[in-house]
Amino acid sequence: ILHGLFGSLSNFDYLIHSLKASYRVILPILPLYTCEIKQATLDGLLKFVVRLISYLELDQIVLLGNSLGGHLALKYVLQYPEKVHSIILTGSSGLFENSLGNTYPKRDKESIRAKIAETFGDPIHVTEPMVNDVLDTISNKSKLLRILSLAKSATRQNLNFELKKIDKP
């Protein structure tokens, strides 16, 4: 399972609990905020994923990617199709967006709450701790630089027209 840019591992608690009886579930913490700034790109994160899969000697994997993690899953299956059994995308980046928008994102609680609600598709899923966590993350200059670098990298690498090359379920 590959999480998104602001994804919390706890977002996958129910899914992991449901799958772990039948599958080996691996949910790595992507080094979004700790990588060197020059590695804060999709290609930099892909190198991390490739090394991890190789280190764990995984083969015929089912990749589930959410948001930025979906983008990484797409890039991985396009480069290493022989290693992948199937791919599941949930709200994947890299398919429809073409820009970061015309305005700089606002960093107040209500704007963050609205963006999270838009991401999850329903405001009922937005919690106060979630909003505070995102606000804390984007208030950290080091993390914010990496987020912006990753977001720009994702926007530049639209894979919509590459989907036809994937012959996996």
Side-chain angles (χ1 to χ4, degrees):
I1 299 174
L2 300 174
H3 63 82
L5 191 56
F6 288 101
S8 170
L9 301 185
S10 64
N11 295 133
F12 298 97
D13 285 347
Y14 180 80
L15 180 62
I16 292 168
H17 181 71
S18 300
L19 294 174
K20 70 181 180 181
S22 302
Y23 298 94
R24 179 180 178 194
V25 179
I26 301 168
L27 177 58
I29 300 171
L30 298 173
L32 304 175
Y33 311 130
T34 56
C35 62
E36 291 184 38
I37 191 69
K38 65 183 176 185
Q39 293 299 314
T41 63
L42 278 173
D43 291 334
L45 290 179
L46 183 61
K47 287 177 187 175
F48 171 85
V49 172
V50 169
R51 283 192 311 266
L52 177 67
I53 290 171
S54 175
Y55 175 77
L56 295 174
E57 299 178 351
L58 302 177
D59 194 43
Q60 292 306 297
I61 58 177
V62 176
L63 277 175
L64 185 153
N66 173 254
S67 191
L68 185 75
H71 209 149
L72 284 171
L74 283 167
K75 287 183 68 68
Y76 186 87
V77 74
L78 285 165
Q79 289 188 29
Y80 303 96
E82 71 283 357
K83 295 286 219 174
V84 178
H85 174 271
S86 55
I87 183 170
I88 303 164
L89 303 176
T90 62
S92 179
S93 68
L95 299 175
F96 302 109
E97 70 281 352
N98 290 315
S99 71
L100 291 172
N102 296 326
T103 62
Y104 190 78
K106 295 180 182 175
R107 291 191 272 174
D108 62 89
K109 275 192 168 189
E110 290 315 307
S111 297
I112 291 169
R113 185 182 315 283
K115 192 63 176 171
I116 295 171
E118 178 185 321
T119 300
F120 281 102
D122 190 336
I124 196 165
H125 301 293
V126 182
T127 65
E128 196 64 22
M130 192 182 295
V131 173
N132 290 334
D133 186 46
V134 171
L135 186 59
D136 289 345
T137 299
I138 64 173
S139 296
N140 178 306
K141 287 182 183 180
S142 174
K143 290 179 180 180
L144 182 59
L145 284 173
R146 284 161 178 78
I147 290 167
L148 292 173
S149 178
L150 285 162
K152 285 180 183 177
S153 175
T155 300
R156 289 184 187 120
Q157 295 189 42
N158 188 298
L159 300 175
N160 193 28
F161 297 107
E162 302 292 315
L163 288 176
K164 64 183 173 231
K165 295 179 182 177
I166 299 172
D167 65 350
K168 304 294 179 180

